[in-house]
Amino acid sequence: MGKHILLLGAPGAGKGTQSKRLASEFDLEHVTTGDALRANKDMDISDMDFEYDTPREYMESGDLVPDDVVNEIVKTALQEADGYVLDGYPRNIEQAEYLTEITDLDAVLYLDVSEEELVERLTGRRVCDDCGANYHVEFAPPEEDGVCDECGGELIQRDDDTEETVRERLTVYHKNTEPVVNHYRDEGVLVEIDGEQTPDGVFDDVAEVVEDA
Ligand code: ADP
Ligand code: ADP
Ligand code: ZN
């Protein structure tokens, strides 16, 4: 059976960067609620009776999309995966409790990065519009400005990577997601990784934990 890995960290901590590489080197499915929601931004959720009728409004304001929507996405994705690395979920205690009901975890990792560094990483992030590869204008620039090294696609800035929305996302993170990190720490299963090393340095630490999981 494939390994079940959970990667926690604030927005910008490097979860996407590390998850993609873990998925390819350990033959795991990369399950990420952020990408799943971005691909379904205009999904009609009006019959669920929430404040907004699509995920888009929540995402563009930096708020969490309602649990009922996200839980369903995760449940389906985990059922279809053998081994997986889960990134971007759970983001509140209710989601963490739901996750416990639907799966078992072999390792829970937390990428630790300071607030100041997070803001710099998020506002400088660029993503490929075609393949989703991650770049940073300063820390991980593409060979040619605005062009994806992997596929030649166009690099764009996400709507929610502007300074104002970044601040809001970090506020939401402290309020809702930090309790999730503390929950796994209290259970004694959290492995904390220094997320401020180079991407390769972080990967070495992460891979060591996953190998033993
Ligand atoms: P980042 O990689 O910067 O942490 P994500 O791509 O994970 O950001 O998430 C982008 C947005 O998608 C979030 O701000 C939120 O609106 C929504 N989202 C992603 N995952 C979840 C989740 N587990 N629960 C609720 N909303 C989520
Ligand atoms: P998350 O999925 O946690 O939001 P990402 O993997 O998308 O984080 O990384 C956020 C930004 O920081 C991206 O622009 C990425 O290129 C950059 N980045 C990721 N890891 C590092 C690192 N170890 N050092 C410097 N920049 C990094
Ligand atoms: Zn690309």
Side-chain angles (χ1 to χ4, degrees):
M1 208 180 82
K3 290 175 180 179
H4 295 175
I5 309 299
L6 175 58
L7 198 51
L8 296 170
K15 301 182 299 296
T17 303
Q18 299 298 331
S19 297
K20 285 196 176 79
R21 191 161 162 201
L22 272 183
S24 97
E25 296 198 17
F26 288 87
D27 196 23
L28 304 169
E29 200 72 42
H30 180 200
V31 176
T32 163
T33 46
D35 286 356
L37 288 167
R38 270 185 293 282
N40 294 284
K41 266 193 170 176
D42 296 310
M43 174 169 100
D44 183 4
I45 53 171
S46 57
D47 62 338
M48 295 172 102
D49 233 22
F50 296 123
E51 186 180 358
Y52 299 119
D53 290 340
T54 63
R56 177 186 294 276
E57 288 90 343
Y58 295 97
M59 298 172 80
E60 288 181 357
S61 60
D63 280 343
L64 297 182
V65 175
D67 292 345
D68 288 348
V69 176
V70 185
N71 288 347
E72 197 54 40
I73 291 173
V74 170
K75 186 178 183 188
T76 307
L78 297 191
Q79 275 169 350
E80 286 168 1
D82 179 13
Y84 61 77
V85 49
L86 179 57
D87 151 23
Y89 181 101
R91 266 178 147 93
N92 60 31
I93 288 290
E94 292 73 23
Q95 293 181 8
E97 284 167 355
Y98 183 75
L99 185 64
T100 304
E101 285 173 26
I102 61 170
T103 193
D104 291 316
L105 296 170
D106 295 309
V108 183
L109 294 94
Y110 168 64
L111 302 180
D112 190 14
V113 173
S114 71
E115 182 103 4
E116 199 186 325
E117 172 81 12
L118 293 173
V119 174
E120 269 193 71
R121 286 190 187 180
L122 290 167
T123 52
R125 172 162 63 187
R126 297 294 182 270
V127 293
C128 176
D129 203 18
D130 289 337
C131 76
N134 257 324
Y135 297 85
H136 189 282
V137 289
E138 222 180 299
F139 309 140
E143 276 176 34
E144 190 185 333
D145 248 11
V147 181
C148 179
D149 293 346
E150 309 283 325
C151 78
E154 186 193 354
L155 301 187
I156 58 163
Q157 182 170 39
R158 272 169 46 175
D159 294 331
D160 59 348
D161 277 345
T162 55
E163 174 112 25
E164 193 196 343
T165 311
V166 162
R167 296 279 173 201
E168 180 55 29
R169 285 159 64 205
L170 291 172
T171 303
V172 168
Y173 173 79
H174 290 307
K175 178 163 177 273
N176 297 283
T177 315
E178 250 168 24
V180 172
V181 176
N182 293 334
H183 161 79
Y184 289 110
R185 188 183 287 118
D186 291 345
E187 281 196 342
V189 297
L190 192 73
V191 180
E192 308 201 32
I193 307 278
D194 174 5
E196 292 201 14
Q197 311 171 72
T198 62
D200 285 348
V202 176
F203 187 76
D204 287 346
D205 286 359
V206 167
E208 200 181 307
V209 176
V210 172
E211 261 156 33
D212 295 339

